[in-house]
Amino acid sequence: MQHALYRAAKADPGRRFHALRDKVFRRDVLWRAWVAVRRNDGAPGIDRTTLDHVEQYGVTRLLDELAVELQEGSYRPLPARRVWIPKPGTKERRPLSIPAVRDRVVQAAAKIVLEPIFEADMAECSFGFRPRRSAHDALQVLIDESGRGRRWVVETDIANCFSAIPHDKLMQAIQERVSDQAVLKLLRVMLRAGVMQDGRVSREDTGAAQGGVISPLLCNVYLHRIDRVWDTREHGVLVRFADDALVMCKSREQVEAALQRLRDLLAELGLQPKESKTRVVQLAVGGQGVDFLGFHHRLVTMRSRDGQRAATFLARWPMNRAMQRARDKVRELTGKRRLLLSPEVVAQDMNMFLRGWAGYFRYGHSARHFGKIMLYARSRLAHFISKRHRRSRSFGWWVLLEAKPREFGLIRLSGIVVQPRAGKPWREKPNAGGERRR
């Protein structure tokens, strides 16, 4: 079904789809939506229904009820539960909206049906929350364009993007491709469901609740209006990962024009860049670098051993906030609240985090930073052992070094091969028919 929708949308860019309602409540679509929600785990909404409660109630029973409500048009979502989570590396807090489990299933079903239609239109410069695209694909563009001489950079992100998108303009963007009134009504009730905080429900005319399953897709649909009118020849190469944006240019004049163009386009959409994170940087050896998607990028020169040859390239390694976030997580895993746990269990929890962290940052020049995090992790585990036994720090190190298995099985990041790129081109190759593979 998704493949057929994608091919139909790709073949006719002006087509508006009018027969989508019956696909949203199809049993196989709802089941696929449940699998995606279950895999993603997540907290309960305002009804306090957890995923385990749904399994006890009966997944098939819940999906049948949702299918009937969607078919009859009586489905109404509950307000999302509003929580505030800290932004890594800052004192700011980000609002997160947690829909009820049943509402997450319906959102996932709608996303399954709508995503291939809008994916057919998405531009090459967009990488966030798209199938078969990742942050490393976006990061590779920086390497490629820097090598082509684009070393003036605008870096910014959109202020309060998810909460500032106007509902009326978002629905206009959706209606460019969808004319099914039942599906449009479903999307409207999702947007107007509101959020509950401190026992009070608020409903705004703006925003796609950050934390909703379908919100990243809606954000991409809306911001596609920037992507499709961006002129690379005039304003440089745009790289957008959801609400994080970066433009690579060849001159100061072009980069200033690009920044103004970006401001104008955002203003037309009712959005604006976050001034504290907006700046223009020239990439130069010995100069300042650029932070993007967790990596710090800086132009460096490497000489051969005989000193006869030199190569200038854009290197990258974990940015300071990413390093601090790793230290904070390791400190949390070895904190006082976990002293009743054995060092083996703590080491396993640390390994789970460190493998994921290193798996993301291995594509770069990160070996020295891996060594720092590894030393900190070993030090914290030794400190944990000393506190657990109420002994000195040297005792903790002695137990750690003499433990069997070595260091209680704590992994060694120094053994992970660090690669300069993800090993695949960021551009999808067209097949024999000229269509991009999905």
Side-chain angles (χ1 to χ4, degrees):
M1 180 198 70
Q2 286 186 307
H3 186 63
L5 289 172
Y6 175 82
R7 290 179 64 89
K10 198 72 174 178
D12 186 359
R15 177 175 176 177
R16 299 177 69 211
F17 290 77
H18 64 278
L20 300 175
R21 170 177 170 271
D22 60 315
K23 298 175 177 59
V24 176
F25 57 77
R26 268 175 42 172
R27 293 304 193 275
D28 57 340
V29 172
L30 286 173
W31 180 260
R32 175 78 173 270
W34 160 254
V35 171
V37 170
R38 189 66 181 93
R39 184 187 299 120
N40 196 47
D41 206 355
I46 63 171
D47 60 354
R48 301 182 181 276
T49 300
T50 66
L51 295 167
D52 292 336
H53 291 158
V54 171
E55 292 176 336
Q56 294 173 7
Y57 180 79
V59 176
T60 303
R61 181 180 173 186
L62 174 68
L63 299 184
D64 288 343
E65 293 174 357
L66 289 175
V68 171
E69 291 182 23
L70 291 168
Q71 188 170 5
E72 295 177 349
S74 60
Y75 168 78
R76 294 296 181 272
L78 296 172
R81 181 166 63 91
R82 169 63 55 81
V83 296
W84 294 84
I85 59 174
K87 290 186 178 181
T90 69
K91 296 182 179 180
E92 299 179 29
R93 294 195 304 165
R94 174 185 294 128
L96 186 67
S97 302
I98 305 177
V101 174
R102 65 192 305 273
D103 297 331
R104 298 208 293 268
V105 173
V106 175
Q107 289 187 27
K111 179 184 176 183
I112 289 172
V113 175
L114 295 174
E115 186 174 57
I117 296 173
F118 291 105
E119 180 64 23
D121 296 333
M122 294 294 176
E124 293 283 357
C125 62
S126 173
F127 294 90
F129 304 107
R130 292 183 58 191
R132 302 202 178 208
R133 288 197 163 211
S134 70
H136 289 290
D137 296 325
L139 291 165
Q140 187 59 41
V141 181
L142 276 66
I143 305 295
D144 296 343
E145 297 304 327
S146 172
R148 298 187 180 107
R150 301 184 191 272
R151 294 179 180 176
W152 284 89
V153 182
V154 175
E155 58 172 327
T156 187
D157 69 1
I158 302 172
N160 304 317
C161 178
F162 282 88
S163 60
I165 297 176
H167 289 172
D168 54 346
K169 292 184 178 181
L170 173 59
M171 292 306 301
Q172 290 174 10
I174 295 172
Q175 290 173 32
E176 291 180 5
R177 274 302 204 169
V178 177
S179 60
D180 190 317
Q181 293 302 314
V183 173
L184 294 174
K185 178 182 177 181
L186 177 62
L187 293 176
R188 288 192 185 97
V189 298
M190 288 180 183
L191 291 173
R192 295 172 182 171
V195 296
M196 176 178 286
Q197 183 176 355
D198 299 328
R200 299 180 60 183
V201 177
S202 60
R203 293 181 172 88
E204 305 290 341
D205 294 330
T206 61
Q210 190 167 2
V213 178
I214 202 172
S215 296
L217 173 62
L218 298 181
C219 178
N220 273 335
V221 170
Y222 193 60
L223 295 181
H224 174 66
R225 291 187 162 192
I226 296 177
D227 304 338
R228 67 186 182 186
V229 298
W230 189 264
D231 189 332
T232 299
R233 183 182 298 274
E234 183 178 357
H235 297 113
V237 174
L238 173 66
V239 184
R240 186 177 64 78
F241 195 93
D243 57 346
D244 288 333
L246 184 145
V247 187
M248 305 195 71
C249 306
K250 290 189 175 182
S251 65
R252 174 179 286 277
E253 292 75 17
Q254 188 180 45
V255 79
E256 291 176 350
L259 178 56
Q260 186 58 48
R261 176 61 170 163
L262 195 57
R263 291 183 188 277
D264 294 341
L265 291 174
L266 288 173
E268 292 176 9
L269 299 181
L271 304 172
Q272 59 184 0
K274 183 178 291 186
E275 295 301 333
S276 61
K277 293 188 177 181
T278 301
R279 62 176 186 148
V280 172
V281 178
Q282 181 184 17
L283 296 175
V285 177
Q288 58 183 329
V290 171
D291 292 334
F292 190 58
L293 300 181
F295 281 91
H296 178 75
H297 299 76
R298 185 168 296 190
L299 207 65
V300 299
T301 297
M302 179 181 293
R303 294 189 174 275
S304 60
R305 292 184 178 181
D306 57 10
Q308 298 298 317
R309 298 181 305 277
T312 300
F313 60 96
L314 191 65
R316 66 174 181 236
W317 51 80
M319 56 191 285
N320 291 337
R321 281 194 299 172
M323 293 288 288
Q324 187 58 48
R325 178 178 177 275
R327 295 188 187 98
D328 292 343
K329 184 63 177 180
V330 169
R331 188 185 304 111
E332 176 187 336
L333 294 174
T334 55
K336 292 182 179 179
R337 294 182 300 175
R338 297 169 60 87
L339 287 177
L340 294 178
L341 300 176
S342 67
E344 291 86 354
V345 172
V346 173
Q348 290 176 7
D349 292 342
M350 294 171 68
N351 286 346
M352 186 177 300
F353 167 73
L354 291 173
R355 285 194 184 98
W357 188 85
Y360 180 80
F361 288 105
R362 66 179 295 184
Y363 300 113
H365 308 81
S366 308
R368 183 167 60 89
H369 294 74
F370 278 13
K372 290 181 178 180
I373 294 299
M374 191 67 248
L375 178 60
Y376 184 78
R378 295 173 69 231
S379 175
R380 285 297 306 180
L381 187 56
H383 179 72
F384 172 85
I385 296 169
S386 66
K387 289 294 183 182
R388 190 171 188 267
H389 292 276
R390 299 182 180 180
R391 302 285 293 273
S392 65
R393 182 70 67 90
S394 60
F395 172 82
W397 276 106
W398 178 80
V399 172
L400 183 66
L401 296 176
E402 295 296 326
K404 302 295 181 180
R406 183 178 176 86
E407 299 182 357
F408 297 103
L410 188 66
I411 63 172
R412 290 180 171 271
L413 298 185
S414 57
I416 296 178
V417 179
V418 178
Q419 302 176 1
R421 59 176 293 170
K424 62 177 182 178
W426 69 272
R427 297 182 188 275
E428 298 179 22
K429 296 181 179 179
N431 59 22
E435 177 186 336
R436 295 199 177 279
R437 294 179 294 186
R438 285 175 45 73

